[in-house]
Amino acid sequence: MVCPLRAAMLGLLALGAIAGSIKRANGAVPPSSMVKIGLMNSRGPYIAIIVPNSFEMNPLLQSPSFQADPNFPYLDISGRRFRFGKVENKKVVIVMTGLSMLNAGITTELLLTLFEVKGVVHYGIAGNANPQLQIGDVTIPQYWAHPGLWYWQRFGDGPNDELSLESNGDYTREIGYLEFANYNNVSQNGEEVANLLNRVWYQPEEVFPIDGVPEVRQHAFWVPVDQRYYGLSAKITDLKLGACVNSSTCLPREPRVVRVERGVSANVFVDNQAYREFLRSKFNATPIDMESAGVALVCRQLGMPFVAFRSLSDLAGGGSSLSNEASTFASLAAQNAVDAVIKFISLLPS
């Protein structure tokens, strides 16, 4: 069944394509692509697989579990390549987002607007904030958040001072803050020096769900994955994963698939022990990445089932014998994430 919203949007795009006398704006979908989009949607719906980078995507494309569509392997639109085929005999469309929350959100929005999709599976590698887990473990968080939207409080104001525009509903103190002075390591005459950075308060995202009132904002911080997908993921926790990059470089134990409570994303590469420990203690976060929450927020607004698999490539900021080794273990982590995704997709109903 075609989503009415998607059908309406595609109809508007088609009308714009037909109007040849009107100059097409940069970035619009070409008329030739509209025909192909309609053709591919007639073969759907698809499971959408969204992945950040090529080194994470290539193990999936090279897997024997993936068969590219022999007649229509891909469609290029707005700088993105949408690949069509099957994984474990389930129809899929695969797209690479590129780095960052912005690219993840734009790509997800474009995919879900143009194509007939019934669910989103996102995967990649991530930094680790949970010292109880290990490089190579694949995490499946139940909730995702974007702790990168800040209200930076002026120097001199305290945690009990109301934030500017807080009374209007623009900002809030409900989620909490990071106090930079807690991480001072210098003193003057034996006394702590005032930290001019003061503190930042974490803010929820503004969201505008398709079933809401236009221009009436809602707020979201913790975005849950689809409950059915999360329940199904329990069936792959016994999956055997790779432990060795080569014959001489192996992990001390076999990695495992672990369902965890929370993951966080922001446009920040975290290689700092203090901030990693803060994210763990404040938010109970395990994977730390730069895209998953962007995908989650778009799926939240469009009412699309979503789940994410993130394989741990390093303990963010160091702290163990396996620290700061993402360059060594990234390929292993990426392969483990792909293995978990393939197993999960095999369990989805046709």
Side-chain angles (χ1 to χ4, degrees):
M1 181 178 180
V2 177
C3 171
L5 175 65
R6 184 179 298 107
M9 296 182 76
L10 291 175
L12 289 173
L13 289 170
L15 288 174
I18 293 171
S21 60
I22 300 176
K23 184 177 180 180
R24 179 167 55 85
N26 290 336
V29 179
S32 59
S33 293
M34 288 304 308
V35 175
K36 296 173 183 177
I37 290 170
L39 172 64
M40 299 314 294
N41 281 338
S42 69
R43 302 179 181 180
Y46 301 91
I47 294 295
I49 302 177
I50 299 176
V51 58
N53 294 302
S54 59
F55 79 90
E56 295 159 312
M57 179 175 63
N58 287 339
L60 176 62
L61 300 181
Q62 296 163 4
S63 168
S65 295
F66 171 68
Q67 292 87 40
D69 188 305
N71 300 313
F72 204 94
Y74 63 84
L75 177 61
D76 294 339
I77 301 174
S78 297
R80 273 74 177 178
R81 173 160 290 184
F82 298 91
R83 294 172 166 86
F84 297 92
K86 292 183 177 181
V87 170
E88 293 294 302
N89 209 36
K90 309 293 170 53
K91 297 177 183 178
V92 298
V93 52
I94 304 169
V95 64
M96 186 185 80
T97 67
L99 188 71
S100 84
M101 291 275 293
L102 176 64
N103 277 323
I106 289 174
T107 305
T108 304
E109 183 85 28
L110 186 63
L111 183 149
L112 297 181
T113 297
L114 295 179
F115 298 106
E116 189 67 23
V117 171
K118 59 183 178 180
V120 170
V121 176
H122 174 61
Y123 79 88
I125 67 171
N128 176 26
N130 182 355
Q132 301 303 312
L133 297 183
Q134 166 189 281
I135 289 172
D137 288 346
V138 177
T139 63
I140 312 171
Q142 189 174 8
Y143 299 92
W144 285 93
H146 171 219
L149 185 57
W150 292 356
Y151 180 106
W152 208 313
Q153 197 170 20
R154 71 170 59 190
F155 179 69
D157 283 357
N160 295 324
D161 291 317
E162 184 176 281
L163 307 179
S164 300
L165 305 179
E166 183 178 357
S167 60
N168 294 339
D170 290 325
Y171 299 102
T172 179
R173 288 172 293 164
E174 291 183 1
I175 298 170
Y177 60 85
L178 166 65
E179 181 85 48
F180 286 100
N182 290 340
Y183 299 93
N184 287 351
N185 59 6
V186 294
S187 62
Q188 198 172 59
N189 300 324
E191 297 181 359
E192 287 294 324
V193 179
N195 193 315
L196 297 178
L197 292 176
N198 201 6
R199 66 185 60 81
V200 294
W201 293 86
Y202 291 91
Q203 301 298 312
E205 291 280 357
E206 293 184 354
V207 294
F208 299 87
I210 59 172
D211 57 355
V213 179
E215 298 184 352
V216 174
R217 62 183 175 176
Q218 298 180 20
H219 291 95
F221 189 74
W222 291 111
V223 180
V225 302
D226 182 75
Q227 185 175 358
R228 295 167 300 168
Y229 284 179
Y230 191 70
L232 187 63
S233 70
K235 296 184 177 182
I236 69 169
T237 54
D238 60 349
L239 180 66
K240 184 177 176 61
L241 299 172
C244 297
V245 177
N246 51 48
S247 58
S248 60
T249 306
C250 294
L251 296 166
R253 67 160 171 82
E254 288 189 355
R256 55 180 184 259
V257 178
V258 184
R259 299 200 306 166
V260 299
E261 185 180 16
R262 295 174 175 179
V264 293
S265 312
N267 288 337
V268 180
F269 186 95
V270 178
D271 192 21
N272 181 276
Q273 180 179 346
Y275 193 57
R276 174 248 294 171
E277 291 175 348
F278 172 82
L279 290 174
R280 180 65 182 170
S281 62
K282 175 67 178 177
F283 298 121
N284 195 31
T286 295
I288 307 170
D289 68 40
M290 302 176 72
E291 296 84 22
S292 296
V295 179
L297 283 161
V298 172
C299 289
R300 157 79 164 74
Q301 296 193 88
L302 298 182
M304 181 62 60
F306 157 82
V307 70
F309 298 76
R310 283 286 181 160
S311 184
L312 306 177
S313 61
D314 65 296
L315 183 63
S320 79
S321 61
L322 296 176
S323 300
N324 302 315
E325 296 188 27
S327 59
T328 300
F329 290 101
S331 60
L332 174 64
Q335 183 63 60
N336 284 352
V338 168
D339 291 346
V341 165
I342 290 173
K343 180 63 175 178
F344 176 78
I345 290 177
S346 74
L347 300 176
L348 292 174
S350 300

